[in-house]
Amino acid sequence: MLGWVTLMWVLTAIDGGTPRCFPGMADQPLVCEYGIEPRDPGELRDIFPAAFLHFGYDHLIANSVPLLVFGFIAALRGIGRFLGVCLIIITISGLGVWLTSAPGSITAGASGVVFGLFGYLLVRGFVERNALDITVGIVVFLLYGSILWGVLPTASGVSWQGHLFGLIGGVLAAFWLRRTPTTPGGRGRRWGGGRGWGGPRGLQGPPPGHPG
Protein backbone atom coordinates (compact mmCIF):
# COMPACT_ATOMS: atom_id res chain seq x y z
CA MET A 1 0.00 0.00 0.00
CA LEU A 2 2.90 2.35 0.62
CA GLY A 3 4.06 1.60 -2.91
CA TRP A 4 0.57 2.32 -4.29
CA VAL A 5 0.31 5.65 -2.47
CA THR A 6 3.86 6.60 -3.45
CA LEU A 7 3.02 5.96 -7.10
CA MET A 8 0.05 8.32 -6.85
CA TRP A 9 2.24 11.04 -5.36
CA VAL A 10 4.83 10.59 -8.11
CA LEU A 11 2.17 10.88 -10.83
CA THR A 12 0.73 14.01 -9.22
CA ALA A 13 4.21 15.54 -9.03
CA ILE A 14 4.70 14.79 -12.74
CA ASP A 15 1.49 16.73 -13.41
CA GLY A 16 2.92 19.67 -11.51
CA GLY A 17 0.67 19.50 -8.48
CA THR A 18 -2.03 21.81 -9.91
CA PRO A 19 -3.06 20.40 -13.31
CA ARG A 20 -5.48 22.25 -15.55
CA CYS A 21 -7.35 20.69 -18.45
CA PHE A 22 -7.83 22.59 -21.72
CA PRO A 23 -9.70 20.69 -24.47
CA GLY A 24 -7.74 20.32 -27.68
CA MET A 25 -4.46 21.45 -26.15
CA ALA A 26 -1.39 19.30 -26.83
CA ASP A 27 0.70 17.85 -24.00
CA GLN A 28 -2.13 17.75 -21.49
CA PRO A 29 -1.41 16.73 -17.87
CA LEU A 30 -1.73 13.00 -17.25
CA VAL A 31 -4.93 13.43 -15.26
CA CYS A 32 -6.52 15.22 -18.22
CA GLU A 33 -5.26 12.72 -20.76
CA TYR A 34 -6.22 9.60 -18.81
CA GLY A 35 -9.19 10.81 -16.77
CA ILE A 36 -12.59 9.37 -17.65
CA GLU A 37 -14.73 11.31 -20.10
CA PRO A 38 -18.29 9.96 -20.06
CA ARG A 39 -19.91 7.89 -22.81
CA ASP A 40 -16.96 8.03 -25.20
CA PRO A 41 -16.09 4.43 -26.15
CA GLY A 42 -12.44 5.33 -26.47
CA GLU A 43 -12.41 6.43 -22.82
CA LEU A 44 -13.20 2.97 -21.46
CA ARG A 45 -9.50 2.17 -21.51
CA ASP A 46 -8.91 5.06 -19.07
CA ILE A 47 -11.01 3.47 -16.31
CA PHE A 48 -7.92 1.89 -14.73
CA PRO A 49 -5.25 4.62 -15.00
CA ALA A 50 -7.77 7.23 -13.82
CA ALA A 51 -7.87 5.54 -10.40
CA PHE A 52 -4.21 6.50 -9.82
CA LEU A 53 -4.37 10.15 -10.97
CA HIS A 54 -5.50 13.26 -9.08
CA PHE A 55 -6.35 16.91 -9.66
CA GLY A 56 -3.68 18.34 -7.40
CA TYR A 57 -2.23 17.69 -3.97
CA ASP A 58 -5.37 18.57 -2.00
CA HIS A 59 -7.29 15.92 -3.92
CA LEU A 60 -4.45 13.43 -3.42
CA ILE A 61 -4.07 14.10 0.32
CA ALA A 62 -7.80 13.53 0.88
CA ASN A 63 -7.49 10.03 -0.63
CA SER A 64 -4.05 8.91 0.57
CA VAL A 65 -4.68 8.16 4.25
CA PRO A 66 -8.00 6.28 3.92
CA LEU A 67 -6.64 4.31 0.95
CA LEU A 68 -3.59 3.36 2.97
CA VAL A 69 -5.65 2.29 5.99
CA PHE A 70 -8.44 0.43 4.16
CA GLY A 71 -6.05 -1.16 1.70
CA PHE A 72 -3.73 -2.42 4.41
CA ILE A 73 -6.58 -4.00 6.37
CA ALA A 74 -8.10 -5.59 3.27
CA ALA A 75 -4.74 -6.93 2.06
CA LEU A 76 -4.12 -8.79 5.32
CA ARG A 77 -6.39 -11.56 3.98
CA GLY A 78 -4.05 -12.17 1.04
CA ILE A 79 -2.56 -10.11 -1.77
CA GLY A 80 -4.17 -12.13 -4.57
CA ARG A 81 -7.64 -11.72 -3.13
CA PHE A 82 -6.98 -8.03 -2.42
CA LEU A 83 -5.97 -7.40 -6.04
CA GLY A 84 -9.15 -9.14 -7.18
CA VAL A 85 -11.22 -6.91 -4.91
CA CYS A 86 -9.52 -3.78 -6.24
CA LEU A 87 -10.00 -4.91 -9.85
CA ILE A 88 -13.73 -5.34 -9.28
CA ILE A 89 -14.01 -1.97 -7.50
CA ILE A 90 -12.09 -0.02 -10.14
CA THR A 91 -14.07 -1.63 -12.96
CA ILE A 92 -17.52 -0.99 -11.46
CA SER A 93 -16.65 2.48 -10.21
CA GLY A 94 -15.13 3.46 -13.55
CA LEU A 95 -18.03 2.09 -15.58
CA GLY A 96 -20.49 3.91 -13.33
CA VAL A 97 -18.63 7.18 -13.85
CA TRP A 98 -18.43 6.58 -17.60
CA LEU A 99 -22.17 5.95 -17.82
CA THR A 100 -23.55 8.64 -15.51
CA SER A 101 -21.13 11.59 -15.22
CA ALA A 102 -22.06 14.98 -16.61
CA PRO A 103 -21.19 15.67 -20.27
CA GLY A 104 -17.84 17.38 -20.74
CA SER A 105 -16.52 16.31 -17.32
CA ILE A 106 -13.25 14.53 -16.61
CA THR A 107 -13.15 12.23 -13.58
CA ALA A 108 -10.08 10.78 -11.89
CA GLY A 109 -8.86 9.85 -8.42
CA ALA A 110 -8.66 6.98 -5.96
CA SER A 111 -11.83 7.92 -4.08
CA GLY A 112 -13.79 5.21 -5.89
CA VAL A 113 -11.31 2.65 -4.57
CA VAL A 114 -11.50 4.19 -1.09
CA PHE A 115 -15.29 3.89 -0.99
CA GLY A 116 -15.10 0.41 -2.47
CA LEU A 117 -12.66 -0.88 0.14
CA PHE A 118 -14.77 0.78 2.82
CA GLY A 119 -17.85 -1.10 1.61
CA TYR A 120 -15.89 -4.32 1.29
CA LEU A 121 -14.62 -4.14 4.87
CA LEU A 122 -18.09 -3.26 6.18
CA VAL A 123 -19.82 -6.35 4.80
CA ARG A 124 -17.04 -8.94 4.44
CA GLY A 125 -17.41 -10.30 7.95
CA PHE A 126 -21.17 -10.67 7.68
CA VAL A 127 -20.91 -12.36 4.28
CA GLU A 128 -18.34 -14.86 5.55
CA ARG A 129 -19.75 -15.10 9.09
CA ASN A 130 -16.37 -14.28 10.55
CA ALA A 131 -16.50 -12.66 14.01
CA LEU A 132 -13.11 -10.95 13.67
CA ASP A 133 -13.97 -9.39 10.32
CA ILE A 134 -17.38 -8.31 11.64
CA THR A 135 -15.56 -6.50 14.46
CA VAL A 136 -13.17 -4.90 11.97
CA GLY A 137 -16.13 -3.72 9.89
CA ILE A 138 -17.84 -2.18 12.91
CA VAL A 139 -14.66 -0.35 13.94
CA VAL A 140 -14.13 0.92 10.39
CA PHE A 141 -17.72 2.18 10.30
CA LEU A 142 -17.38 3.96 13.66
CA LEU A 143 -14.18 5.69 12.57
CA TYR A 144 -14.99 6.49 8.94
CA GLY A 145 -18.76 6.08 8.56
CA SER A 146 -19.23 9.77 7.86
CA ILE A 147 -17.69 9.34 4.41
CA LEU A 148 -20.97 7.72 3.32
CA TRP A 149 -22.31 11.25 2.79
CA GLY A 150 -19.97 11.32 -0.21
CA VAL A 151 -22.30 9.08 -2.22
CA LEU A 152 -24.85 11.92 -2.34
CA PRO A 153 -24.69 14.72 -4.95
CA THR A 154 -24.16 17.44 -2.36
CA ALA A 155 -20.87 19.04 -3.47
CA SER A 156 -20.00 20.47 -6.87
CA GLY A 157 -16.80 19.25 -8.45
CA VAL A 158 -16.91 15.95 -6.53
CA SER A 159 -17.68 12.70 -8.33
CA TRP A 160 -20.42 11.25 -6.16
CA GLN A 161 -20.93 8.75 -8.99
CA GLY A 162 -17.43 7.37 -8.47
CA HIS A 163 -18.07 7.13 -4.73
CA LEU A 164 -21.44 5.42 -5.11
CA PHE A 165 -20.39 2.89 -7.72
CA GLY A 166 -17.13 2.24 -5.88
CA LEU A 167 -19.13 1.42 -2.75
CA ILE A 168 -21.36 -0.90 -4.77
CA GLY A 169 -18.28 -2.55 -6.28
CA GLY A 170 -16.80 -3.21 -2.84
CA VAL A 171 -20.01 -4.83 -1.57
CA LEU A 172 -20.25 -7.00 -4.68
CA ALA A 173 -16.59 -8.00 -4.32
CA ALA A 174 -17.29 -9.21 -0.77
CA PHE A 175 -19.95 -11.57 -2.15
CA TRP A 176 -18.16 -12.66 -5.31
CA LEU A 177 -14.84 -13.38 -3.59
CA ARG A 178 -16.19 -14.71 -0.30
CA ARG A 179 -14.53 -17.75 1.22
CA THR A 180 -16.57 -20.89 1.78
CA PRO A 181 -17.15 -21.92 5.39
CA THR A 182 -14.72 -24.50 6.75
CA THR A 183 -15.00 -27.13 9.43
CA PRO A 184 -12.61 -27.10 12.41
CA GLY A 185 -10.50 -29.68 10.55
CA GLY A 186 -9.98 -27.22 7.71
CA ARG A 187 -12.11 -28.90 5.03
CA GLY A 188 -14.91 -27.13 3.28
CA ARG A 189 -18.30 -28.03 4.68
CA ARG A 190 -20.71 -29.74 2.32
CA TRP A 191 -24.40 -29.08 2.84
CA GLY A 192 -26.77 -31.88 1.78
CA GLY A 193 -26.65 -34.10 -1.26
CA GLY A 194 -24.00 -36.42 0.17
CA ARG A 195 -23.80 -40.10 -0.60
CA GLY A 196 -22.59 -41.54 2.71
CA TRP A 197 -24.27 -44.48 4.38
CA GLY A 198 -26.43 -42.11 6.36
CA GLY A 199 -28.53 -41.18 3.29
CA PRO A 200 -29.13 -37.76 1.70
CA ARG A 201 -27.68 -35.79 4.60
CA GLY A 202 -24.21 -37.16 3.85
CA LEU A 203 -23.61 -38.69 7.28
CA GLN A 204 -20.66 -41.05 7.35
CA GLY A 205 -20.62 -44.47 9.06
CA PRO A 206 -20.31 -48.21 8.47
CA PRO A 207 -22.99 -50.02 6.47
CA PRO A 208 -25.65 -51.91 8.45
CA GLY A 209 -24.38 -55.14 9.97
CA HIS A 210 -20.71 -54.24 9.48
CA PRO A 211 -18.61 -54.27 12.66
CA GLY A 212 -17.65 -50.68 13.25
Side-chain angles (χ1 to χ4, degrees), residues 136-159:
V136 169
I138 292 172
V139 172
V140 167
F141 177 76
L142 292 176
L143 293 177
Y144 290 95
S146 61
I147 72 170
L148 287 173
W149 292 108
V151 304
L152 301 176
T154 56
S156 61
V158 176
S159 177

Side-chain angles (χ1 to χ4, degrees), residues 39-63:
R39 294 170 293 283
D40 179 352
E43 291 292 312
L44 287 172
R45 64 189 177 187
D46 292 337
I47 284 175
F48 298 99
F52 297 84
L53 300 168
H54 292 81
F55 289 98
Y57 288 117
D58 289 343
H59 185 202
L60 175 61
I61 291 170
N63 286 330

Side-chain angles (χ1 to χ4, degrees), residues 179-192 202 204:
R179 297 185 180 183
T180 57
T182 57
T183 63
R187 295 185 178 181
R189 183 176 299 164
R190 183 175 60 189
W191 297 99
Q204 301 297 318

Side-chain angles (χ1 to χ4, degrees), residues 101-176:
S101 287
S105 64
I106 299 177
T107 303
S111 56
V113 182
V114 169
F115 276 76
L117 290 173
F118 176 77
Y120 172 74
L121 293 174
L122 280 187
V123 305
R124 178 181 64 181
F126 296 97
V127 170
E128 299 183 1
R129 299 180 182 180
N130 183 296
L132 177 58
D133 287 339
I134 290 174
T135 303
V136 169
I138 292 172
V139 172
V140 167
F141 177 76
L142 292 176
L143 293 177
Y144 290 95
S146 61
I147 72 170
L148 287 173
W149 292 108
V151 304
L152 301 176
T154 56
S156 61
V158 176
S159 177
W160 62 269
Q161 297 96 330
H163 299 170
L164 175 61
F165 285 99
L167 184 68
I168 292 171
V171 172
L172 291 176
F175 282 93
W176 291 344

